[in-house]
Amino acid sequence: MYGMLARKLRGDMIYRNSYFRKEMRQAYTENQISKKRKVGAALFAGLLSFAIHFVLQTLTESVLSDTIPFVMQASYFSTLYTYISVAFLLYVIYFIIYYDDLSFAEIQKNRWYLLVKMGYQPMKMIYLKLIASFFSLFLYYSSGFIFILCLTYFLKYSFIYAYIPTLYIVGLVDLIVFEAMAMAGSLFIRKAANTKYFLVFTAVFIGIIRVATGYYDLVSNRILMQNFFSLFQFHRSTYLPVAFVLVVLCLAICFLRARSIARYYSMPFETYG
């Protein structure tokens, strides 16, 4: 009797409740309300970037014109560069707020233990969670990028198409690196209080790599950014190879570490007594 009931429950769980759909819901992209929330976050990032651009236009006579001239000019480059910076910052905040749902923290909280015992394959769950996470990231970033392009169009700036694909990749790569590092790190952090420090450190670490590899100077050069292949001129910057290695390493850690700890039950420290 117990065996028949267990098999029935397992079948219902696997076939009626898709794990991938669960992950897409947690990433706020599966249902109508969630899609609106995700697109709304992207539109907010676009509006905030647009507002910052207008503020910077009022400071053209300040010292900022010499410090960060690439965002002070009236051009598509300035609005897009401002957007990719704002979008990255807001996504870090977003990840901190929804950390438990978006990361592998649920494994640390033993939410996968019963699923594995009921027949779910850890590797498949890891794979689907990563797909959902990166798809959510792509939707957020792309929606905001398109929105800021539309807003900039009404300013009647000189349209230079060459900026668009280059800056799009610049912002997307930074977010992918952050996402991969955040997902891998979540498999080692047990205390919730440490998560925000880790995520902030990850964002700062990416910024340090950008400067150390010469990537910051490369992507802030309006002339070079008109050539998409400038990103792949590694004598100028080795950031992209470093980013690729980091992402691959983090994904490998995700599969190995998550597969291992998903099978074991760990009692929270505060309940040991």
Side-chain angles (χ1 to χ4, degrees), residues 167-262:
L167 290 178
Y168 178 83
I169 294 299
V170 168
L172 185 61
V173 168
D174 288 342
L175 287 171
I176 289 176
V177 175
F178 173 80
E179 180 88 8
M181 294 182 66
M183 296 295 282
S186 67
L187 291 166
F188 297 91
I189 300 175
R190 292 185 176 275
K191 294 183 179 180
N194 294 333
T195 59
K196 63 180 66 175
Y197 300 112
F198 168 73
L199 294 175
V200 171
F201 170 78
T202 300
V204 173
F205 177 71
I206 292 173
I208 293 174
I209 295 178
R210 284 168 56 101
V211 174
T213 59
Y215 192 68
Y216 174 81
D217 294 331
L218 172 63
V219 300
S220 60
N221 189 313
R222 296 179 58 193
I223 304 301
L224 293 177
M225 286 297 95
Q226 293 185 42
N227 180 8
F228 178 78
F229 295 100
S230 294
L231 295 175
F232 303 95
Q233 294 175 355
F234 300 139
H235 66 280
R236 298 183 184 275
S237 173
T238 57
Y239 177 76
L240 288 186
V242 171
F244 177 79
V245 171
L246 282 174
V247 171
V248 172
L249 180 61
C250 289
L251 292 180
I253 291 174
C254 287
F255 281 105
L256 296 176
R257 173 72 175 172
R259 182 183 182 184
S260 174
I261 66 176

Side-chain angles (χ1 to χ4, degrees), residues 13-62:
M13 287 290 292
I14 293 177
Y15 296 107
R16 294 184 184 180
N17 300 300
S18 165
Y19 184 80
F20 181 66
R21 290 173 65 86
K22 164 188 169 293
E23 289 303 327
M24 294 299 284
R25 285 195 300 273
Q26 291 186 165
Y28 298 99
T29 58
E30 194 274 338
N31 55 45
Q32 190 65 24
I33 296 177
S34 300
K35 287 180 180 178
K36 289 181 179 179
R37 184 179 300 181
K38 175 61 67 175
V39 174
L43 297 183
F44 175 75
L47 285 174
L48 181 59
S49 303
F50 208 60
I52 293 175
H53 175 70
F54 272 116
V55 171
L56 292 176
Q57 291 302 296
T58 65
L59 301 173
T60 53
E61 301 299 326
S62 68

Side-chain angles (χ1 to χ4, degrees), residues 82-97:
T82 302
Y83 169 74
I84 63 178
S85 301
V86 171
F88 181 82
L89 176 61
L90 292 183
Y91 191 77
V92 173
I93 298 173
Y94 168 81
F95 205 98
I96 292 174
I97 296 174

